[in-house]
Amino acid sequence: MNIDWPLFWDSAGPLAAAAIVGTIPLALVSFAVGMVLAIAAALARLSRNRLLSGAARLYISVIRGTPLLVQLFVVFYGLPSVGLVIDTWPSAVIALSLNVGGYAAEVVRAAILSVDKGQWEAAYMVGMSRRTALRRVILPQAARVAVPPLSNTFISLVKDTSLTSLILFSEMFRKAQEIAAFTQDFMLLYVEAGLIYWVICLVLSTGQSALERRLDRHVAVAR
């Protein structure tokens, strides 16, 4: 296969720019919102209130049991049929955030349950309320357990943003499609986009490892 190197280098700039302006911000915002949903759903799952617990179970089940592409299409193409029209950017954020929340909720719940019950008792003995104990004692310890799987969730989210090209959101893969349609060199552009995703994920994986080592040092000092 003959590689069109001038096209490769000429397209590298627009693709990288689309990743910086579209892909990465979309992933960051969606992950942040998704984590808020995940913590809320995890706490609801742990609640003794059956209504809250049941609602959280249903949300998690629906999200984990349906494809992300279907969720994107329901938000962007389905909601207008019932009179709710949402622009591309918020549609992408809503669908991705809901997806992250559904998957990360079980990670957060498992991390909270992994904290020794004695930590709760110690917090209560010094006069903390359940909410204060959760915020100041339990969640910080649960964070160490949750970091690896949540980091993997974020890395997967970065790749999943490519699906938003199907609702016409202008992120990196959408830019690759536009350039490929103009140049008719689909293989080159799609492989190039894949390489950029790979580089981004390598950087994130390196950051994940550094964060885990940092948290391990804090745990060692605490012990």
Side-chain angles (χ1 to χ4, degrees), residues 88-103:
T88 303
W89 162 259
S91 292
V93 171
I94 290 171
L96 293 175
S97 298
L98 288 172
N99 188 268
V100 168
Y103 280 93

Side-chain angles (χ1 to χ4, degrees), residues 61-71 99 103:
S61 177
V62 169
I63 293 300
R64 292 164 65 94
T66 57
L68 174 56
L69 184 59
V70 172
Q71 296 162 19
N99 188 268
Y103 280 93

Side-chain angles (χ1 to χ4, degrees), residues 133-213:
L134 182 67
R135 178 171 56 87
R136 300 185 61 180
V137 178
I138 305 303
L139 286 180
Q141 295 182 61
R144 173 61 189 90
V145 178
V147 162
L150 289 179
S151 297
N152 291 333
T153 298
F154 181 65
I155 291 172
S156 295
L157 175 62
V158 170
K159 295 180 289 184
D160 288 341
T161 58
S162 62
L163 291 175
T164 62
S165 64
L166 297 175
I167 63 170
L168 309 180
F169 178 69
S170 183
E171 46 74 60
M172 184 176 66
F173 190 67
R174 177 68 180 175
K175 178 60 67 174
Q177 289 178 313
E178 293 172 354
I179 299 174
F182 180 75
T183 62
Q184 294 299 299
D185 199 336
F186 294 94
M187 174 65 78
L188 177 65
L189 269 299
Y190 292 163
V191 168
E192 186 173 11
L195 288 173
I196 295 176
Y197 279 117
W198 180 45
V199 170
I200 293 173
C201 291
L202 282 177
V203 173
L204 293 175
S205 297
T206 302
Q208 173 187 346
S209 299
L211 179 59
E212 288 180 21
R213 288 194 298 270

Side-chain angles (χ1 to χ4, degrees), residues 22-36 89-90 92-94 96-97 100 154 157 161:
T23 299
I24 295 176
L26 176 60
L28 288 172
V29 172
S30 299
F31 187 75
V33 176
M35 283 308 303
V36 173
W89 162 259
V93 171
I94 290 171
L96 293 175
S97 298
V100 168
F154 181 65
L157 175 62
T161 58

Side-chain angles (χ1 to χ4, degrees), residues 1-6 8 185 188:
M1 181 181 69
N2 293 324
I3 300 177
D4 188 344
W5 289 109
F8 181 90
D185 199 336
L188 177 65

